[in-house]
Amino acid sequence: MPQRAKSSPTDRVFAALSNPTRRDVLDLLLDGPRAVQEIAERFDMARPSVSEHLRVLLDAGLVTETRQGRHRIYAVVPEPLHDLQSWLAPYERFWRAQLAGLRSYLDEDPSEENR
C-alpha cells in the first residue's frame, strides 16, 4: 500500500471540513465574499473563535482572505473541493456498482413473489 504524507493538502481539507461550523462558514460564503464581521454575526460564538475557524479554512486553501481597508474579506476557493471530489470518485463508482448488484439480486429474488 502506498504511503501518504501525514499532512497532505487533502488531509488538511478533510480536517477543515470535519467541523460543522467550518462547513457552515463555507455554505455562507457560497453566496459571495463576506467580511469577517459579517460572518461572525451569523454564528453564536465570539469573533476570535470565528477567526480561528477561518484560519483553518485558509490554511486548507478553502478560502482566500483579502484586505479592503480595515476589513478582511473571505471568499470560497473551489479547487480543493474539486480535488476532494476526484479523490472520492472511485469510491462513488464502487458503491454504485455494489448497489446495482443489489438491485439485480433483488429483482431476481424468487422470494419476492411470496410477499
Side-chain angles (χ1 to χ4, degrees):
M1 175 164 271
Q3 296 293 319
R4 296 181 192 188
K6 295 297 181 196
S7 184
S8 71
T10 302
D11 293 332
R12 286 189 291 277
V13 170
F14 272 120
L17 295 176
S18 68
N19 183 289
T21 299
R22 292 192 283 266
R23 292 192 305 270
D24 288 343
V25 169
L26 285 177
D27 290 346
L28 180 64
L29 293 175
L30 282 177
D31 293 334
R34 294 179 189 269
V36 65
Q37 181 63 35
E38 188 178 352
I39 297 167
E41 290 172 357
R42 300 289 185 101
F43 295 92
D44 187 26
M45 64 179 66
R47 184 174 163 173
S49 296
V50 172
S51 293
E52 182 63 30
H53 286 296
L54 288 166
R55 171 60 51 198
V56 173
L57 293 171
L58 189 64
D59 290 345
L62 290 164
V63 298
T64 59
E65 175 191 81
T66 55
R67 289 183 181 250
Q68 292 181 359
R70 295 177 37 213
H71 301 283
R72 292 180 182 187
I73 309 296
Y74 289 87
V76 170
V77 177
E79 285 78 12
L81 297 174
H82 291 270
D83 294 343
L84 202 62
Q85 186 178 22
S86 296
W87 184 84
L88 289 169
Y91 296 96
E92 182 181 353
R93 285 191 300 270
F94 169 80
W95 282 110
R96 284 182 192 262
Q98 295 298 312
L99 291 173
L102 177 61
R103 171 174 256 170
S104 296
Y105 173 77
L106 292 174
D107 287 346
E108 297 171 7
D109 186 3
S111 65
E112 183 69 25
E113 296 172 5
N114 296 329
R115 290 185 181 188

